């Protein structure tokens, strides 16, 4: 399977690591650490040295209860990092839902639009459809980050997430976006309780049946904290284990904060699977 993006056709035969560059003052695990433009640029370089296959730059924290920046604020946060990231020779993704940010990022040559709102904001889908080849990640969430953790009643979370992603996939395809440009994401921690996130991992095969590669983001999420009793900054081992479990069940892209450790773990996972 391949993921077609603006400048790169990504071969997903090997699982890929998407390194997180949060240029936000308030992200749940690293808010404020890379918000300043110079630090964000250095963070991009550091994640590449650690072995990231994709850089994902985000200017809006989507932690429960986060305040949303307006378009100008989000642009001011992400553009300096994106301008630098697109010079580094790897695929660059922007984590945004705003059509203004999507258009500005695509004008800069950004390769992937990663949208936690699955291109449902007015004009977001049209902004992506104007590009002939940008990759897209469509993620499941209910409502908005500010209130999503009050909306966690599901009869069957896996069936509901699958139906949502299937619907968004169809909508995106009917806007003229080719299927090989699209990957899907169950949205770990977005309007979900730990039991829902674990079900989405255990039954990941049902999401793979939608026919597109899966991207998953377990890194430092609170479900791992609930299991281990550890704060966000101390969830490295749990995050790596969750990434491996997701890859073992067929995920092709893992979105992580701790790139070096994840890359090492995936090398071991891969070596263990080679024919002897
Ligand atoms: N999770 C976060 C943000 N963007 N995008 C995708 N596709 N999948 C995810 O699971 C996902 C995402 C939340 O993590 P983080 O960026 O570290 O935190 P914050 O939103 O507080 O900046």
């Amino acid at each position: 399977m391949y993921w077609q993006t603006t400048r790169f056709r990504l071969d997903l035969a090997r699982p890929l690591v998407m390194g997180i560059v949060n240029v936000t003052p308030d992200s749940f695990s690293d808010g404020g650490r890379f918000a300043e433009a110079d630090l964000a640029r250095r963070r991009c370089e550091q994640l590449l040295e650690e072995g990231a296959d994709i850089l994902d730059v985000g200017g809006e924290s989507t932690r429960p209860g986060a305040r949303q920046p307006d378009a100008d604020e989000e642009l001011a946060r992400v553009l300096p990092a994106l301008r630098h990231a697109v010079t580094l020779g790897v695929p660059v993704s922007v984590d945004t839902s705003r059509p203004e940010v999507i258009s500005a990022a695509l004008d800069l040559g950004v390769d992937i639009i990663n949208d936690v709102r699955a291109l449902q904001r007015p004009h977001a889908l049209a902004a992506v459809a104007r590009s002939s080849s940008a990759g897209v990640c469509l993620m499941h969430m209910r409502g908005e980050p500010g209130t999503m953790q009050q909306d966690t009643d599901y009869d069957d979370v896996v069936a509901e997430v699958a139906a949502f992603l299937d619907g968004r996939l169809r909508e995106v395809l009917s806007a003229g976006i080719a299927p090989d440009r699209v990957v899907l994401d169950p949205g770990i921690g977005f309007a979900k309780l730990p039991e829902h996130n674990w079900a989405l991992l255990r039954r990941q095969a049902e999401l793979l049946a939608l026919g597109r590669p899966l991207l998953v983001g377990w890194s430092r999420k609170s479900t791992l904290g609930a299991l281990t009793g550890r704060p966000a900054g101390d969830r490295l081992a749990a995050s790596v284990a969750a990434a491996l479990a997701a890859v073992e069940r067929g995920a092709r892209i893992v979105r992580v904060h701790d790139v070096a450790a994840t890359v090492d773990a995936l090398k071991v996972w891969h070596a263990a699977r080679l024919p002897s």
Side-chain angles (χ1 to χ4, degrees):
M1 263 207 189
Y2 288 87
W3 189 10
Q4 181 64 51
T5 75
T6 304
R7 297 173 298 166
F8 302 87
R9 185 167 166 79
L10 302 177
D11 185 352
L12 302 177
R14 174 178 70 81
L16 301 185
V17 174
M18 174 184 259
I20 301 171
V21 183
N22 277 329
V23 286
T24 52
D26 54 349
S27 285
F28 78 94
S29 79
D30 56 4
R33 284 193 57 204
F34 311 108
E36 205 257 308
D38 233 29
L39 294 177
R41 287 190 281 263
R42 256 190 276 142
R43 175 73 175 159
C44 292
E45 288 164 17
Q46 184 202 340
L47 294 186
L48 284 191
E49 281 160 25
E50 292 184 15
D53 299 293
I54 303 170
L55 294 174
D56 185 41
V57 176
E60 177 200 355
S61 172
T62 47
R63 71 180 162 73
R67 182 188 70 82
Q68 288 178 32
D70 65 23
D72 287 343
E73 201 175 350
E74 195 180 329
L75 281 167
R77 289 179 186 176
V78 297
L79 288 183
L82 290 175
R83 265 191 211 103
H84 183 61
V86 294
T87 67
L88 299 176
V90 290
V92 176
S93 159
V94 62
D95 187 347
T96 189
S97 303
R98 285 197 185 278
E100 300 91 330
V101 179
I102 292 173
S103 295
L106 292 175
D107 287 347
L108 282 180
V110 161
D111 301 281
I112 296 163
I113 306 300
N114 169 28
D115 187 1
V116 299
R117 297 177 183 81
L119 301 178
Q120 291 181 104
R121 280 233 175 113
H123 313 299
L125 178 52
V128 179
R130 274 197 291 276
S131 150
S132 60
S133 56
V136 180
C137 176
L138 302 173
M139 198 197 80
H140 174 270
M141 171 170 65
R142 275 179 173 176
E144 283 294 321
T147 50
M148 64 186 177
Q149 289 310 102
Q150 294 153 30
D151 193 2
T152 55
D153 282 342
Y154 297 89
D155 286 334
D156 180 340
V157 67
V158 182
E160 193 169 315
V161 168
F164 171 86
L165 292 176
D166 191 40
R168 294 309 301 150
L169 177 61
R170 283 165 199 268
E171 179 91 15
V172 162
L173 300 186
S174 67
I177 293 176
D180 66 351
R181 292 170 57 187
V182 186
V183 305
L184 305 175
D185 182 337
I188 299 304
F190 286 83
K192 296 172 190 88
L193 302 175
E195 71 219 50
H196 301 130
N197 296 317
W198 294 122
L200 287 161
L201 177 58
R202 294 180 190 125
R203 294 167 54 196
Q204 213 174 247
E206 293 170 46
L207 304 176
L208 290 171
L210 298 171
R212 294 307 308 148
L214 277 193
L215 183 155
V216 291
W218 276 88
S219 188
R220 302 184 186 173
K221 295 248 166 107
S222 63
T223 290
L224 302 176
L227 187 70
T228 60
R230 295 187 184 279
D234 201 9
R235 295 177 189 156
L236 171 61
S239 300
V240 171
L244 285 187
V247 164
E248 182 69 22
R249 284 165 179 72
R252 302 319 285 166
I253 306 123
V254 287
R255 182 182 180 278
V256 305
H257 302 86
D258 301 290
V259 168
T262 310
V263 167
D264 280 1
L266 283 171
K267 281 183 184 160
V268 173
W269 173 84
H270 183 68
R273 289 164 57 93
L274 289 176
S276 46

